[in-house]
Amino acid sequence: GSPSTSVSRRRTRMRLLLQFKGKTTEVHADSADTVIAAAHDALALPSDEWRLKIVAKGKQLQPGASLPALAEGAKLMVMASSITAVERGLTSRSDPTVRGFAAEDEAASRRAADTAGGADEVSVWCTSQDAEHKFCRFEPCTWQSFGTRPSSTTPHAFEARKLLLRLATDPAVVGIMRERRYRVGTLAEMDPIDDRLAEKMEGGGKRLLGYNTNHGMSIHVRLRTMDLRGFEAYPSLVDTLLHELAHNEVGPHNDLFWHLFAQLKADYLRHHARLAQSGALFSGASPLQLAGVAEQVSDVRAAVLGTVARDRMAPLPPAQEALLDGYFSLTERRGGNAVGGAERQGDSGEGASHASARALAAERAEARRLQQQQQQQQQQ
């Protein structure tokens, strides 16, 4: 063309700024094709090796199209992909280490089943929970929860889960869950250094060992020692679990609660005593050895009173001791739940069952009367 035509064409070209990998490059163009060509040249990306995606005002420039309404010096974003890499990706097989949506769904289902505690999970007790009255899920604490990475002295969450399963499948705990018809949504490890839990503490300086949410929706038990180097002793964990199970029925720490806790502790010890007397072994060991209660079952009453006194930080009053003795007498007559595990012959059959039910009702009524009397004294 003539010189005048060339000058006219140069005047219609716009100054544009290409942004690529954090750098800005100036080009002049009057159409999408000239912008793409200029980008290949200015950025040293040959068109036979690279594909460019240039975005202006949120829309990709298409070859053969005109430029959108842009101001002088407008910024365009440039993205480049190697033609060889693109073709390789289109023709290569999928990476077996990268899961698709179906595989992700299957993995999620497995994780859910693992959290729920499948029937094939076995603890050192080699027993199963009751089909209905049980702990439905287990949740150990991971290091992300309490802010300390696992080390050679910090038990892994896998070990914490095994301990939760051991507590849930303890034959005496299984018996209590079935007898009392308890069902707990989640048995979880309590974060040992979570400051927010301090709000739930009832006394200054008292360590929080566990808590029960909504009467059994979830129970959290502190498994780890304060220095995170190991787990608390198993008998202590069982006492904490029994304490929290008592909150399934009674919320406040009143006389009725402590009497119920004493009952659960007594039931636990006598159940293991009966198993030991029957010669039962679990993983080749005596139940008293696995539960760590050999000394306690030698005097169940004293063990129960000592456990409750330590927990409430005060001895049981005489009236509470009398109620506990009444419970011992009642459950002995019902058969097999004798102090120290000894069975007692005697009342049996339907008449004894009705008598036991009446005695138990009377015992609970007396406990309620004591509770009301205590409340009236506090109000006065």
Side-chain angles (χ1 to χ4, degrees):
S2 63
S4 62
T5 303
S6 177
V7 171
S8 175
R9 184 178 296 119
R10 283 198 300 269
R11 287 177 178 174
T12 59
R13 291 196 173 194
M14 300 178 61
R15 183 176 67 87
L16 302 172
L17 301 178
L18 303 179
Q19 293 185 321
F20 180 67
K21 290 187 175 181
K23 297 181 180 180
T24 301
T25 304
E26 181 178 314
V27 297
H28 293 79
D30 58 3
S31 67
D33 289 336
T34 56
V35 172
I36 294 173
H40 278 292
D41 293 339
L43 302 176
L45 299 172
S47 59
D48 58 344
E49 298 179 13
W50 295 89
R51 292 180 182 173
L52 299 184
K53 179 179 179 181
I54 303 177
V55 179
K57 288 190 172 182
K59 295 183 179 180
Q60 181 180 354
L61 298 184
Q62 300 296 334
S66 59
L67 283 176
L70 297 174
E72 187 77 13
K75 296 180 180 180
L76 310 182
M77 184 173 63
V78 180
M79 292 168 281
S81 56
S82 169
I83 294 177
T84 303
V86 172
E87 292 177 347
R88 187 186 304 118
L90 293 175
T91 58
S92 64
R93 294 183 177 181
S94 59
D95 187 348
T97 64
V98 178
R99 291 193 295 234
F101 292 116
E104 283 289 348
D105 290 342
E106 183 180 354
S109 298
R110 287 198 301 269
R111 287 194 297 270
D114 183 62
T115 302
D120 57 341
E121 281 192 292
V122 178
S123 73
V124 67
W125 291 108
C126 299
T127 55
S128 301
Q129 298 192 81
D130 184 79
E132 181 178 358
H133 305 102
K134 61 181 181 178
F135 301 93
C136 300
R137 290 173 297 278
F138 305 113
E139 290 183 4
C141 236
T142 62
W143 70 265
Q144 292 94 337
S145 301
F146 51 80
T148 301
R149 290 180 179 273
S151 65
S152 58
T153 58
T154 304
H156 196 279
F158 296 150
E159 298 303 318
R161 180 181 174 83
K162 288 181 182 178
L163 187 49
L164 292 173
L165 182 64
R166 179 181 175 185
L167 289 167
T169 57
D170 186 318
V173 173
V174 172
I176 289 172
M177 298 288 285
R178 182 186 299 115
E179 177 72 19
R180 304 276 176 165
R181 304 180 68 82
Y182 291 157
R183 184 180 177 92
V184 176
T186 301
L187 178 60
E189 176 186 4
M190 193 188 82
D191 189 334
I193 58 174
D194 190 343
D195 292 336
R196 291 171 298 176
L197 297 181
E199 298 177 3
K200 298 178 179 290
M201 296 175 64
E202 298 184 0
K206 182 180 179 182
R207 287 184 60 195
L208 182 65
L209 301 179
Y211 59 92
N212 183 319
T213 303
N214 290 341
H215 298 280
M217 183 179 76
S218 66
I219 287 178
H220 286 69
V221 176
R222 180 197 293 273
L223 300 183
R224 301 174 194 266
T225 56
M226 290 299 291
D227 60 8
L228 305 180
R229 293 179 178 274
F231 294 122
E232 298 282 359
Y234 184 76
S236 298
L237 296 178
V238 170
D239 288 345
T240 301
L241 179 59
L242 296 179
H243 179 115
E244 301 309 329
L245 283 174
H247 282 303
N248 276 16
E249 296 189 49
V250 184
H253 289 148
N254 54 28
D255 287 342
L256 187 59
F257 170 85
W258 293 117
H259 180 53
L260 176 58
F261 175 45
Q263 289 184 8
L264 298 184
K265 177 66 175 180
D267 291 348
Y268 180 84
L269 292 177
R270 292 186 295 180
H271 191 108
H272 276 305
R274 292 197 307 275
L275 288 175
Q277 286 185 344
S278 70
L281 296 177
F282 300 86
S283 297
S286 162
L288 302 184
Q289 178 183 350
L290 283 182
V293 294
E295 183 177 350
Q296 295 185 49
V297 298
S298 63
D299 190 341
V300 173
R301 183 180 185 277
V304 171
L305 291 176
T307 299
V308 177
R310 283 192 302 272
D311 206 348
R312 73 194 297 265
M313 296 190 296
L316 276 178
Q320 284 283 318
E321 287 193 33
L323 281 178
L324 178 60
D325 290 336
Y327 179 72
F328 278 138
S329 176
L330 171 64
T331 50
E332 286 172 18
R333 290 197 304 271
R334 287 195 295 184
N337 268 339
V339 178
E343 295 188 4
R344 181 178 294 187
Q345 303 295 328
D347 297 338
S348 61
E350 185 176 356
S353 297
H354 286 303
S356 298
R358 288 194 298 271
L360 184 58
E363 172 193 337
R364 291 178 175 173
E366 175 65 14
R368 287 194 297 271
R369 187 189 67 78
L370 287 173
Q371 179 186 1
Q372 293 172 355
Q373 182 179 359
Q374 183 182 32
Q375 290 175 347
Q376 291 174 356
Q377 291 174 352
Q378 291 175 351
Q379 291 175 355
Q380 294 174 356

